[in-house]
Each structure stands twice: as C-alpha cells, then as structure tokens.
Amino acid sequence: KAGVTQTPRYLIKTRGQQVTLSCSPISGHRSVSWYQQTPGQGLQFLFEYFSETQRNKGNFPGRFSGRQFSNSRSEMNVSTLELGDSALYLCASSPMTGPGELFFGEGSRLTVL
Amino acid sequence: AQRVTQPEKLLSVFKGAPVELKCNYSYSGSPELFWYVQYSRQRLQLLLRHISRESIKGFTADLNKGETSFHLKKPFAQEEDSAMYYCALGFAGGTSYGKLTFGQGTILTVHP
C-alpha cells in the first residue's frame, strides 16, 4: 500500500498570506490527523477528522482549519500567516483499530517570511 | 491536563550496552502509551504500544501506573538503533484515534 502522501513538501509564504496543505491517507484509513512540529514546541496536535467531521481539535487559534473529503483525503488551511507558523506540518492516518496507531507522512515544510 | 516528559534530550551509549529511554506522563484518565521512532531521513513510525506488551526490534516498555512511567529498554543496543525516540500518550475509551500528546523526544546515538 502506498504511504501517507503530503503535498506540497516545501513552501515559502509571506506574513499575512494563507496556505493550504493536502494529505492523502493510506487506502482504507478513514481517520486523518494533523500535527505541527517545531524545534521549540515539538509535536503538537492540531485536529483529527473522520467521516468528513472534525472529531478533535488541539489548542490552536481559529486561523488553523481543516476539512476532510468523502475519499478521506484531507486539507488544512492556515490563514493570515505569522512568522511563528513556520513549521513542519505532519499528517497521519489511522486504520482506527485502536487509539494511537498512526502512520505519518513526510510532512510539508512551511516557511513564513 | 495531559503531559509527557522525556527528561533526556540526548542519550549516548556504546554498541552492546543496555539502553533505557525515560518517559513520564501525567494524565488523570486511563492512559494509552506509545513509543514512536524516527530514523534518519525516514518518517515517524510507531515502535510499540503498551497494550500489546510486545517486543519490537529488541525493545520493550512497561507501563508503571504507580510511577506514571513508560520507559523504553533494550538490553544490547545496536548502531541501527540510533534515532529520535518519542513517547506519546493517547486516550482510551474515547472517540479519538489520532490525538496524541508527544514528549519532546530523545536522540539516541549508539557508538560502535
């Protein structure tokens, strides 16, 4: 099976812009979660989707949003970018056989200038 | 609030030596504990979970609820074990499959 695929892998934006990141889960996985990884804060949970519904949300401002499509693919959006949003954004899918069994993508590296 | 602490940012051992990566957690509910590993230039991947009580690549981890710890151990470290290791806390009995609280990670280096 193909792994979790994230696009784009790298992107550079300026403050105030918005960005959309895409994630294709492993075939058959219906749960998709997003994480932000930074050197200072480490890995932080953003949100989780399954059945096209947001099931859980981390402690991030409303500028961070996401959605899931009927084929389980997911997107996350960050509006009004700030310098502190520079990070590696990781997507993970789950077969939903139990909590915590996640399969991660390689991430999208966002740099905000 | 849930929290995971990995007190060692860096850990160095020699090949063949025992290794223990420490993890402590705080959570008022019933915890699900995991170890994830990231080898150089590879994706973050699940190494093991406490509920399965299995040994993966020679690593074991025992959940100690009294000490709120979930230390990762291996009796004889190998050079290929060099990687970043993350301890993570999940939530049993809920509707979440993907929500984990991660520790800050420990970089393990095994010297020849």
Side-chain angles (χ1 to χ4, degrees):
Chain A
K1 280 186 181 179
V4 176
T5 304
Q6 292 187 244
T7 57
R9 292 289 317 283
Y10 302 91
L11 64 166
I12 300 173
K13 295 285 186 178
T14 56
R15 278 181 300 174
Q17 287 187 310
Q18 73 163 8
V19 66
T20 298
L21 308 177
S22 180
C23 172
S24 293
I26 291 172
S27 177
H29 288 191
R30 293 187 294 121
S31 164
V32 174
S33 300
W34 290 88
Y35 286 81
Q36 182 194 64
Q37 186 175 30
T38 59
Q41 299 297 318
L43 280 155
Q44 292 188 289
F45 173 78
L46 279 158
F47 25 64
E48 176 184 12
Y49 288 86
F50 58 89
S51 298
E52 302 176 62
T53 303
Q54 187 179 89
R55 302 293 179 166
N56 290 283
K57 191 177 191 315
N59 189 24
F60 279 83
R63 300 185 297 107
F64 291 81
S65 63
R67 58 178 176 167
Q68 187 181 36
F69 302 95
S70 59
N71 61 358
S72 294
R73 191 176 69 84
S74 177
E75 289 181 348
M76 67 162 283
N77 184 276
V78 188
S79 62
T80 320
L81 284 166
E82 300 176 1
L83 295 179
D85 297 333
S86 295
L88 181 67
Y89 290 88
L90 292 170
C91 171
S93 71
S94 169
M96 298 173 67
T97 50
E101 185 182 2
L102 302 182
F103 294 79
F104 282 87
E106 293 180 290
S108 292
R109 171 82 57 192
L110 170 64
T111 302
V112 182
L113 302 176
Chain B
Q2 56 275 7
R3 187 178 181 90
V4 176
T5 303
Q6 294 180 248
E8 302 135 332
K9 199 166 186 177
L10 302 168
L11 184 62
S12 288
V13 300
F14 285 100
K15 178 182 171 181
V19 63
E20 181 180 52
L21 292 90
K22 290 183 168 48
C23 171
N24 289 91
Y25 68 92
S26 64
Y27 179 54
S28 56
S30 181
E32 298 270 357
L33 274 300
F34 307 86
W35 278 98
Y36 276 79
V37 61
Q38 188 165 28
Y39 301 102
S40 179
R41 299 190 185 86
Q42 293 189 27
R43 304 171 185 218
L44 189 60
Q45 58 186 283
L46 178 63
L47 179 63
L48 57 77
R49 46 191 159 171
H50 90 272
I51 198 167
S52 57
R53 305 182 71 83
E54 56 193 345
S55 172
I56 304 291
K57 298 185 179 183
F59 284 99
T60 58
D62 290 319
L63 176 60
N64 185 324
K65 291 188 177 179
E67 296 183 358
T68 59
S69 68
F70 187 57
H71 303 327
L72 183 67
K73 301 176 184 178
K74 185 169 183 176
F76 307 103
Q78 303 299 314
E79 289 178 71
E80 55 266 30
D81 296 328
S82 295
M84 171 75 100
Y85 291 81
Y86 292 96
C87 182
L89 170 67
F91 310 96
T95 57
S96 173
Y97 297 94
K99 182 180 179 182
L100 293 175
T101 297
F102 282 86
Q104 291 291 318
T106 298
I107 299 173
L108 172 66
T109 303
V110 181
H111 299 284

